């Protein structure tokens, strides 16, 4: 991806909008864009150098704390509304190397551990589907085959939730 930044800079683009694959690699990308005096906007994955981004560089993404927290609070609300005082849930995580997946999964535990869930929520298992619908579907099939009773599935993203539903 660093080569892509260098090629874009050499071709004379006026700005670069970029989604880094490896969130630990952006320092070199930032340096290359800054040296070429080209504005660079990172999207989706928080770069490790966020606090030291050069002038004309920014990061735009969802607030992952809100995402995971609001999702889990809503699951808790729905379980309580259904009359549950205690419930079992599975968690489908995104790519484990992705900051969003790590944060959203941590948010689930923060809601439960922080007393923000009005139901005693037990996490039966958590596994990754790598953000993919088919992997989530396979994961859900495996969980269903265990015959363990559960009340909810909390997924880190829409594709995983759809896969679980399918």
């Amino acid at each position: 991806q660093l080569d892509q930044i260098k090629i874009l800079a050499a071709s004379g683009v006026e700005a670069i909008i970029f989604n880094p694959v490896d969130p630990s690699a952006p320092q070199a990308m930032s340096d290359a864009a800054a040296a070429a005096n080209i504005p660079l906007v990172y999207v989706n994955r928080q770069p490790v150098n966020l606090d030291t981004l050069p002038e004309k560089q920014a990061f735009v993404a969802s607030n992952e704390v809100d995402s995971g927290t609001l999702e889990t609070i809503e699951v808790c609300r729905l379980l309580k509304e259904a009359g549950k005082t205690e419930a079992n849930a599975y968690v489908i995580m995104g790519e484990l190397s992705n900051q969003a997946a790590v944060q959203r999964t941590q948010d689930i535990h923060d809601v439960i551990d922080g007393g923000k869930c009005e139901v005693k929520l037990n996490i039966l298992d958590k596994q990754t589907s790598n953000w993919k619908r088919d992997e989530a579907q396979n994961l859900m099939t495996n969980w269903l085959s265990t015959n363990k009773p559960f009340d909810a599935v909390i997924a880190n993203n829409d594709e995983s939730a759809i896969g679980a539903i399918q």
Side-chain angles (χ1 to χ4, degrees), residues 19-96:
N19 186 357
V21 173
D22 179 358
S24 64
Q27 183 63 57
M29 295 177 213
S30 286
D31 293 345
N37 198 30
I38 297 174
L40 175 64
V41 179
Y42 292 102
V43 295
N44 226 13
R45 290 187 181 95
Q46 181 176 317
V48 293
N49 61 326
L50 177 64
D51 294 334
T52 60
L53 286 178
E55 191 174 319
K56 297 185 181 180
Q57 295 189 17
F59 168 61
V60 179
S62 303
N63 181 327
E64 303 307 339
V65 174
D66 286 349
S67 299
T69 300
L70 293 172
E71 167 189 42
T72 307
I73 288 172
E74 180 64 8
V75 167
C76 292
R77 185 191 69 75
L78 290 169
L79 289 167
K80 182 178 182 188
E81 191 176 273
K84 301 284 185 179
T85 56
E86 185 169 351
N88 295 324
Y90 287 114
V91 175
I92 302 178
M93 300 178 292
E95 291 175 358
L96 300 179

Side-chain angles (χ1 to χ4, degrees), residues 141-154:
T141 299
N142 291 338
W143 282 332
L144 288 168
S145 71
T146 68
N147 292 319
K148 286 184 185 176
F150 69 97
D151 306 286
V153 175
I154 303 173

Side-chain angles (χ1 to χ4, degrees), residues 75-140:
V75 167
C76 292
R77 185 191 69 75
L78 290 169
L79 289 167
K80 182 178 182 188
E81 191 176 273
K84 301 284 185 179
T85 56
E86 185 169 351
N88 295 324
Y90 287 114
V91 175
I92 302 178
M93 300 178 292
E95 291 175 358
L96 300 179
S97 63
N98 188 289
Q99 182 264 343
V102 172
Q103 183 62 59
R104 291 175 190 181
T105 302
Q106 182 59 50
D107 297 337
I108 295 165
H109 294 288
D110 290 348
V111 167
I112 295 168
D113 298 341
K116 297 177 187 171
C117 188
E118 300 178 60
V119 172
K120 183 178 184 316
L121 192 57
N122 306 303
I123 304 300
L124 297 174
D125 193 11
K126 60 182 179 180
Q127 293 189 38
T128 183
S129 70
N130 295 304
W131 306 119
K132 297 179 183 170
R133 186 182 297 197
D134 60 334
E135 289 186 32
Q137 187 174 9
N138 291 337
L139 184 56
M140 195 70 234

